[in-house]
Amino acid sequence: MNSDPSSRPAHLDPKRSFQGLILTLQEYWAAYGCVILQPYDMPMGAGTSHTATFLRALGPRPWNAAYVQPTRRPTDGRYGENPNRLQHYYQFQTILKPSPDDIQDLYLKSLYAIGIDPELHDLRFVEDDWENPTLGAWGLGWEVWCDGMEISQFTYFQQVAGFECSPVSGELTYGLERLAMYIQNVDNVYELNFNGARGDEKVTYGDVFLQNEQEFSTYNFKAADTELLFRHFTDAENECRALLAAGAPGSPANESKFHTLAVPAYEQVLNAAHKFNLLDARGVISATERQSYILRLRDLSKACGAAWLQTRSGGALSGKVEAGFPSDNATK
Amino acid sequence: MSDLLLELYCEEIPARFQANAAGQLKSAVTGALMEAGLSYDSAAAFAGPRRLTLAVGGIPARSMDKQIERKGPRTDAPARAVEGFAKAAGLTSIADAKIVKDDKKGDYYMARSVLAGEPAAKILAGFLPGIITGFNWPKSMKWGAGDLVWVRPLRAILATLGAENDETETIRFQVGGLTSANITYGHRFLSEGPITVRRFDDYAAALEAANVVLDGERRAEIIHQEAKGLAFAAGLVLIEDKGLIGEVAGLVEWPVLLSGTFDEAFLALPDEVIIATIKANQKCFCLRDEKTGRLAPRFVIVANMVTSDNGKSVIAGNERVIRARLSDAKFFYDADLGEPLENRLPRLAEMVFHKKLGSQLERVERLKALTVEIGPTVGADIDVARRAAMLSKADLVTAMVVEFPGLQGQMGRAYALAQGEDKSVAEAIANHYRPLGPSDTVPNDPVSITVALADKIDMLTGFWAVGETPTGSKDPFALRRAALGLIRIILENRLSLSLKSLISIGRMGHLDNVPLPVAGRSYTAPDAVMTFDRKMADDLVSFFHDRLKITLRQAGAAHDIVEASISVGADDVYAISQKVTALTGFLETPDGEKLLSGYRRTANLLRDEEKKDAATYAGRYDVNAISSEVARTLANAIALSAEAVAADMDGGDFSGAMAQLSALADPVDRFFDEVRVNDPDPAVRLALLNVLAHLRATMHLVADFSKIEG
């Protein structure tokens, strides 16, 4: 269960490289028994929106997964000039359902694995309740502090898509850049050592992402075509509704007892949410309109959550879990 | 006698919930003990980040036996009924029942039984699970696959009971998959493994040895003393912050105080910005240099950890975060300074104040209009006051206030001074929110007073107009605080202001189709024409009266004197408080006492006679009908006083009015000693009653003496 950093080449020491940090966390949670997933292939504002969290937190089936998710926050773009803020950054997300009794210890050991020595640091769980209005979700938990710096969000989901979570999932979200800056001891994100190499071989975070940050800040704040974005938002909303109707059990196209289009419908929510975030960054959504867009997204999220609960993976008709169904093997 | 030790061990409890939770645990358990017939000598509850603990001393080993009586059928009832009763009452034969004589309804059976007392451990095991499952947290949750609801996952329960100096037993019960035991755990990082516990004494000692200070107040005291010590060692003074000490004491089990520094260049920021950054984000304390009065580039960290490098990494980490935070703040501050406050006003239109009361910009327009009306009555320059009102909310859309909402007003002041505004304008921007609570100071500059009164009366009349008035414990818009604040501003500045005229100034802003005096415009409700009728005004006046009563009582006035001094429509807050002071003084004098007892006799007698006669005496009479010298003396004295009292009251000279009343004390006394009011001659009686009625009316000019309690 313990990942052994010494078996890894020195340049992949999480204290030396950004990718070493990611690999260590993946190994740690893989050793625990999590499914290690790859990032969802669509833009989203948080790792929570990944189907592996948002949808899998619903329903009765156990589920343990970990993955890196690129996180898009268009309004946080700073043209690469702010050492702490990015419009695209990475979260490492672990979801454990049901949350195990030793989840705090499991989490702390993951910190030890990446080189945070509990003998040297002040680790604290400070109240922080989490709510995501566009996902109709909330939970209670903490932000985890290391020497006064927030390094993770730790949440026990209580509701997702407006549905009470039973069993409850524990969600651990590590802000990877911030964590890496701390353990590599650099003050500017662009100076993070990405590959752990020295001299000419060294690749920094800036080498990989500075150009992107500059270009996307321009895109987010100036270049994005707002008319097109408004249209795409509406298109995604309509497509989502259409898919939800078409995949519903008993609809003309679906003779099964299950919902058959819950995930494609949810992808349209991700689509719409990202368009909304871009429009927000372009400053074309007023304070009053903003609320109504959030409500529209929440309605879609809830409807998708309801649809998911009508799927097999969502635990519909559970009790009659079919042998060989992937979800049954994916659990610990 | 036995002692109970109960510990509920869980994942980190939010600091703000801890104190109440300890109190709740104590009252729930002691209440249940009493209800079960178990007394106790002492009870103490403690709360910290990971545990709630309760120690109850002096519980009897068993509850007392209870005699139970059960009434049965009459002795002549059918045999089946009698048998049934015997069986139900658990008697072997009806012969064991007692026969109670009853001559009226007939003799009947009475079964007596003894309900044996139970061991305290059994009783506790019976009710403790219910206390845990029924615990009331402000926010609670479920976890894992369980159904138990707690503030954060509950991980262990310790429950022991035992006689003094004797072995203890574990009180066995189960809740949500947990089984109670005699085990606890120490500090998360500084101790290892479970700790077996017998009773409170060894429990507290074992925890202390395992780096847990159980008592939150002691943790707070340690933090306070050590923070002061670190400040002193650096030649500085701690900026006291009771709230922060309390919060931090709820975040650590083993407080370790360390001190760090930040770059002096950040001192270019206003002190309040640095304090807010360091306090709100990092929960660290700031220090001041007493010689310069300014903030020092140093802060105090409260860690929960003794580290192997003596805190070096902890300090370095906190310094890094604070450096980053202050850099952000500096960035926001510099950006904010680049845009004058008035240029920000259009953006207030996007900021909703309340959905029925429009935007912050509409509110600013109302405040500008109100200051024009209020300003002259408190001696403020109208133009300066209007300027202050116009800029009063502009800082709400600055980056700094968006980041730290608690800095509203203070940032406005800093930015106003930086852009060269009049000092009164800058102070009013900061101080118009005040007083923020009972211990906060009240603005005293006329411009600040004007904007503060406008701000509060606009809120109160506005929320009254849309029907969002406080009910019970619900006061989401802090209207009680606004009314109390308004009253304190008036009292502490000795302002002579009419509540009714303030209300009518305030309501202007909320009426449709009523043009505001100057540039302002009224808010038009989207769906209905806003009304502010007489009833709302009266209701708001009595809301003010209630706050005023509280204020006066808190200042030490007796509640009956307060009641006597506020008549239904009373309007001048400062005058009422003056009256309370004068009346309190008067009633302490011998004349005051004498007159009060004379008043009571008068009032009682009149009440009885008026009832008898089905009449109300107005105090007019034919003086010739009165032959008694004593009665005539009183009548003359009242006639003389009445005019003088009325004049004094009109002039607000309450002490003068009371002195006039003093002159009546002796004549009234003699009157009751020597005159018989119920004279056989109806004309005489009528005249005498009216003399007394005149006395009553004269005294009521001053206050309602009937409200004074004996």
Side-chain angles (χ1 to χ4, degrees), chain B residues 343-410:
Chain B
N343 291 10
R344 300 176 176 276
L345 294 179
R347 260 181 290 152
L348 290 177
E350 284 243 327
M351 190 174 247
V352 178
F353 168 62
H354 179 272
K355 62 179 191 295
K356 294 183 189 161
L357 293 170
S359 70
Q360 289 286 4
L361 183 62
E362 284 165 314
R363 185 155 143 78
V364 164
E365 291 297 331
R366 293 197 299 266
L367 294 186
K368 277 160 67 183
L370 302 194
T371 51
V372 174
E373 296 291 305
I374 298 170
T377 64
V378 302
D381 181 300
I382 292 183
D383 291 334
V384 179
R386 267 191 71 206
R387 175 89 187 155
M390 180 176 101
L391 300 180
S392 62
K393 308 292 179 187
D395 68 349
L396 296 180
V397 286
T398 60
M400 199 62 102
V401 175
V402 169
E403 189 73 9
F404 298 109
L407 289 182
Q408 65 174 16
Q410 297 179 58

Side-chain angles (χ1 to χ4, degrees), chain B residues 261-341:
Chain B
T261 58
F262 58 85
D263 191 337
E264 274 188 46
F266 289 122
L267 291 175
L269 287 165
D271 284 2
E272 48 264 52
V273 170
I274 299 175
I275 295 173
T277 304
I278 291 182
K279 172 187 169 177
N281 289 324
Q282 298 309 124
K283 309 200 194 300
C284 291
F285 294 87
C286 291
L287 305 175
R288 196 181 290 289
D289 184 339
E290 250 193 350
K291 284 169 284 215
T292 63
R294 276 233 50 193
L295 217 56
R298 211 167 238 292
F299 59 94
V300 171
I301 306 158
V302 184
N304 186 38
M305 187 67 194
V306 183
T307 63
S308 54
D309 63 354
N310 287 320
K312 226 178 101 200
S313 307
V314 178
I315 293 169
N318 276 277
E319 285 178 344
R320 274 181 61 158
V321 186
I322 281 178
R323 194 189 318 139
R325 296 280 195 184
L326 288 175
S327 301
D328 270 355
K330 181 86 174 54
F331 175 82
F332 291 146
Y333 183 67
D334 290 342
D336 285 346
L337 283 177
E339 194 180 6
L341 289 172

Side-chain angles (χ1 to χ4, degrees), chain B residues 489-509:
Chain B
I489 292 171
I490 291 175
L491 289 182
E492 291 177 33
N493 288 297
R494 303 167 180 234
L495 300 174
S496 186
L497 276 180
S498 147
L499 284 178
K500 283 174 199 158
S501 60
L502 264 182
I503 291 170
S504 69
I505 291 171
R507 75 193 266 275
M508 292 182 316

Side-chain angles (χ1 to χ4, degrees), chain A residues 111-123:
Chain A
L111 297 184
Y112 309 159
I114 57 173
I116 294 182
D117 180 355
E119 303 258 298
L120 289 177
H121 298 284
D122 182 31
L123 293 165

Side-chain angles (χ1 to χ4, degrees), chain A residues 78 82 84-85 98-105 108 112 117-129 138 140-143 145-150 154 156-158 164-169 178 180-188 285-288, chain B residues 10-17 50 139-147 150-153 155 188-189 248 251-252 280-283 301-309 311-321 323-325 328 331-332 350-352 403:
Chain A
R78 293 293 183 272
N82 185 303
N84 295 302
R85 250 177 232 250
S99 65
D101 284 351
D102 58 349
I103 184 169
Q104 280 189 312
D105 279 337
L108 288 169
Y112 309 159
D117 180 355
E119 303 258 298
L120 289 177
H121 298 284
D122 182 31
L123 293 165
R124 228 92 71 70
F125 293 86
V126 180
E127 177 193 12
D128 190 34
D129 303 340
W138 68 275
L140 298 186
W142 310 274
E143 48 183 50
W145 285 17
C146 177
D147 303 332
M149 188 180 70
E150 183 194 341
F154 191 137
Y156 291 99
F157 284 155
Q158 301 297 300
E164 193 154 321
C165 296
S166 179
V168 166
S169 302
R178 208 191 275 196
M181 285 165 74
Y182 197 71
I183 55 186
Q184 286 190 29
N185 195 22
V186 300
D187 284 335
N188 186 331
I285 294 182
S286 75
T288 356
Chain B
C10 71
E11 296 180 1
E12 279 75 357
I13 307 171
R16 61 202 172 105
F17 300 158
R50 297 173 80 203
K139 273 183 174 175
S140 53
M141 55 165 277
K142 291 183 182 175
W143 60 95
D147 272 326
W150 199 249
V151 61
R152 291 293 183 276
R155 294 301 181 198
R188 189 190 278 286
F189 302 105
V248 176
L251 289 173
V252 296
N281 289 324
Q282 298 309 124
K283 309 200 194 300
I301 306 158
V302 184
N304 186 38
M305 187 67 194
V306 183
T307 63
S308 54
D309 63 354
K312 226 178 101 200
S313 307
V314 178
I315 293 169
N318 276 277
E319 285 178 344
R320 274 181 61 158
V321 186
R323 194 189 318 139
R325 296 280 195 184
D328 270 355
F331 175 82
F332 291 146
E350 284 243 327
M351 190 174 247
V352 178
E403 189 73 9

Side-chain angles (χ1 to χ4, degrees), chain B residues 104-183:
Chain B
K104 277 187 196 156
K105 294 182 183 163
D107 299 351
Y108 60 89
Y109 289 111
M110 171 80 85
R112 283 225 175 108
S113 58
V114 176
L115 188 66
E118 285 190 301
K122 191 178 168 201
I123 294 174
L124 282 159
F127 72 64
L128 286 175
I131 286 176
I132 294 168
T133 53
F135 208 83
N136 185 19
W137 292 100
K139 273 183 174 175
S140 53
M141 55 165 277
K142 291 183 182 175
W143 60 95
D147 272 326
L148 188 59
V149 173
W150 199 249
V151 61
R152 291 293 183 276
L154 183 63
R155 294 301 181 198
I157 299 167
L158 179 154
T160 66
L161 185 74
E164 234 178 306
N165 308 319
D166 199 356
E167 278 308 310
T168 53
E169 59 173 317
T170 300
I171 303 166
R172 297 278 175 198
F173 59 92
Q174 295 201 320
V175 176
L178 296 169
T179 303
S180 59
N182 57 348
I183 301 286

